[in-house]
Amino acid sequence: MNNNYFKVFSNCIVTKGYTQSLISDLQREKSDFIPNSLADIIERLNKKESLISIYQDYGKENKLILDEYLDFLFQEEYGFYCSSEEFDMFINLDLEYQSAERISNIIIELKKNELSSLQTIISQVEKLGCKFVALVCYEDLVLKDFDDIKLLFDDTTIQSVEIITSYSSYISENIISHISQKFERLTSLFLFNAPAKMNMRSRIKYCSVIFSQKKYTNFSFCGGITFNNFQTNLPKVLEAKNHNSCLNKKIAIDVNGNIKNCPAMPQSFGHIKEITLERALMHQDFKQYWNITKDSISICKDCEFRYICTDCRAFTEQSYINDNFLDLSKPLKCGYDPYTGEWEEWSSSKLKQEAINHYKKIW
């Protein structure tokens, strides 16, 4: 059998941007930049066009370029040469996103003197099928606080707990190790307002530990988009292709007890002491952003990173509101320009200053 075809593995998807494209291997969780011209060729390959036909269309003058493109795909294991019969043996990847839970994750802002209120909230979270909980406390927690929080999650169906809190001088590697070993559901510990000597990342057992020198007093720290935050994996990419990559199946309770899509968003759907999470979820506007993908967001729809990036509707450039009064503007804290392929510090952009000043007044 002649290898007249080239099969790109179904777990390798191409995202075409304005200046360049991205090929993402969702199994190996890696992405590479490719020229848009190669993205066009991959599209033809995926339609089962023969190599002979493609080479003929591009002409002899482009043979070396085509050779380089195919050699790149083959050497990087994005695909393989095959016959027509072999090509048909491989089915396409199902790009639908499915998850059984009504809520996948929740963010809860806490005050130290209200830790006990978590118990009622956790029982509601379990009823919604939620498995991932992020706790945010702008005060420093002592060892007893961590122990008390740990006890609240014992014998629950919660799989992962992330804690974001202020650094305290009592924190040491031994203390963190003690917390991690006892609190097995704790998968991430982010300590802000830490001294420079503690500016580091580490992993103790199954818990990721991050120290930051920045000082946070509210949820305005969220929404930053950087190259290091991109995630190339099957669940995240499929969710981003079908839903909003930040707000889909998310619920939050801010520091004042208001139930929201995100603690930084202005709209409240009720107070946790007055209504249940389930009732708030039934509000006609609660899910309005759940299905807004990056393909609908101004500028982002032309970006090659749009399916490995996390969207933010809490802080935007406020440049495009659609007919349904939904904000479809580019995230404020993104410094990437897909039309030039260049990054800049978002906070220094002259075009963002009006939006930045708006949020400064709020926070």
Side-chain angles (χ1 to χ4, degrees):
M1 293 185 291
N2 295 321
N3 293 333
N4 291 328
Y5 297 87
F6 190 94
K7 179 66 177 179
V8 177
F9 291 117
S10 59
N11 57 281
C12 300
I13 66 168
V14 173
T15 309
K16 195 170 184 180
Y18 187 86
T19 59
Q20 60 186 350
S21 295
L22 203 70
I23 183 168
S24 301
D25 186 326
L26 305 184
Q27 181 175 345
R28 293 182 294 172
E29 301 187 355
K30 58 166 286 190
S31 293
D32 281 316
F33 292 111
I34 59 173
N36 284 343
S37 54
L38 176 51
D40 292 336
I41 291 171
I42 292 174
E43 183 177 356
R44 296 181 64 175
L45 293 172
N46 287 339
K47 292 179 180 178
K48 200 184 175 182
E49 287 197 43
S50 70
L51 296 175
I52 294 174
S53 175
I54 294 175
Y55 271 93
Q56 286 177 342
D57 285 351
Y58 278 85
K60 293 181 179 180
E61 65 274 17
N62 291 310
K63 181 180 182 302
L64 288 178
I65 295 176
L66 286 173
D67 287 344
E68 289 179 4
Y69 282 172
L70 292 171
D71 185 61
F72 164 79
L73 294 175
F74 181 74
Q75 293 298 329
E76 295 298 322
E77 298 182 336
Y78 286 119
F80 59 99
Y81 294 94
C82 62
S83 66
S84 174
E85 292 79 6
E86 291 170 328
F87 190 103
D88 294 334
M89 293 172 62
F90 296 87
I91 62 174
N92 294 327
L93 179 69
D94 183 358
L95 297 179
E96 290 187 14
Y97 178 78
Q98 299 179 357
S99 59
E101 66 276 2
R102 296 176 65 188
I103 289 293
S104 61
N105 60 98
I106 183 172
I107 299 173
I108 306 171
E109 290 186 310
L110 292 167
K111 295 178 182 178
K112 282 187 64 171
N113 61 355
E114 297 180 355
L115 287 178
S116 59
S117 65
L118 261 179
Q119 188 164 12
T120 301
I121 297 174
I122 292 171
S123 64
Q124 294 184 45
V125 169
E126 286 191 281
K127 289 180 181 179
L128 296 174
C130 181
K131 298 292 189 294
F132 302 95
V133 176
L135 304 178
V136 183
C137 182
Y138 303 108
E139 306 162 86
D140 57 310
L141 301 175
V142 298
L143 185 58
K144 183 181 183 305
D145 295 326
F146 284 101
D147 289 339
D148 290 344
I149 293 172
K150 181 258 181 188
L151 289 174
L152 292 174
F153 286 97
D154 281 349
D155 302 320
T156 70
T157 57
I158 305 300
Q159 295 179 356
S160 171
V161 178
E162 175 183 1
I163 295 180
I164 301 171
T165 188
S166 177
Y167 172 85
S168 175
S169 58
Y170 88 93
I171 290 290
S172 66
E173 186 173 337
N174 288 336
I175 291 293
I176 294 176
S177 179
H178 171 80
I179 294 171
S180 176
Q181 289 178 11
K182 291 188 65 177
F183 196 169
E184 294 186 349
R185 287 178 173 83
L186 183 65
T187 56
S188 177
L189 178 61
F190 186 97
L191 298 162
F192 57 83
N193 199 26
K197 65 179 181 179
M198 303 298 290
N199 192 12
M200 57 175 283
R201 290 172 177 257
S202 63
R203 174 169 288 276
I204 298 178
K205 201 175 181 180
Y206 303 112
C207 181
S208 170
V209 183
I210 302 174
F211 294 90
S212 173
Q213 292 177 256
K214 295 181 179 179
K215 184 175 182 179
Y216 301 133
T217 57
N218 53 53
F219 210 72
S220 60
F221 68 85
C222 194
I225 295 174
T226 67
F227 192 87
N228 292 332
N229 291 336
F230 293 153
Q231 297 183 54
T232 303
N233 62 67
L234 184 62
K236 294 299 294 184
V237 170
L238 292 188
E239 185 173 26
K241 287 182 72 69
N242 293 277
H243 305 284
N244 186 272
S245 54
C246 180
L247 298 179
N248 181 51
K249 296 199 172 186
K250 173 183 284 184
I251 199 166
I253 303 172
D254 74 9
V255 71
N256 296 313
N258 298 305
I259 303 172
K260 300 180 175 182
N261 293 123
C262 164
M265 296 184 79
Q267 186 172 6
S268 172
F269 300 95
H271 196 280
I272 191 61
K273 291 183 179 180
E274 299 173 357
I275 68 170
T276 64
L277 295 175
E278 185 170 19
R279 183 178 167 192
L281 188 61
M282 295 170 63
H283 191 285
Q284 61 179 1
D285 293 334
F286 192 88
K287 300 178 183 179
Q288 61 185 343
Y289 280 107
W290 280 21
N291 295 322
I292 300 296
T293 71
K294 282 293 186 73
D295 290 324
S296 303
I297 303 298
S298 176
I299 301 178
C300 296
K301 61 186 179 182
D302 296 320
C303 180
E304 64 272 22
F305 298 123
R306 61 188 180 272
Y307 299 136
I308 63 173
C309 180
T310 299
D311 187 47
C312 178
R313 296 296 90 206
F315 303 105
T316 75
E317 294 183 352
Q318 300 187 324
S319 58
Y320 177 43
I321 308 296
N322 73 0
D323 294 338
N324 294 320
F325 303 103
L326 296 180
D327 188 346
L328 302 185
S329 311
K330 176 185 175 182
L332 178 67
K333 299 181 183 181
C334 176
Y336 182 67
D337 184 348
Y339 304 116
T340 63
E342 297 178 350
W343 288 85
E344 68 171 358
E345 172 52 45
W346 67 269
S347 60
S348 61
S349 171
K350 294 181 180 179
L351 299 176
K352 296 176 182 279
Q353 293 309 308
E354 184 176 346
I356 291 173
N357 291 333
H358 166 78
Y359 290 114
K360 281 182 178 179
K361 292 177 183 178
I362 296 175
W363 290 100

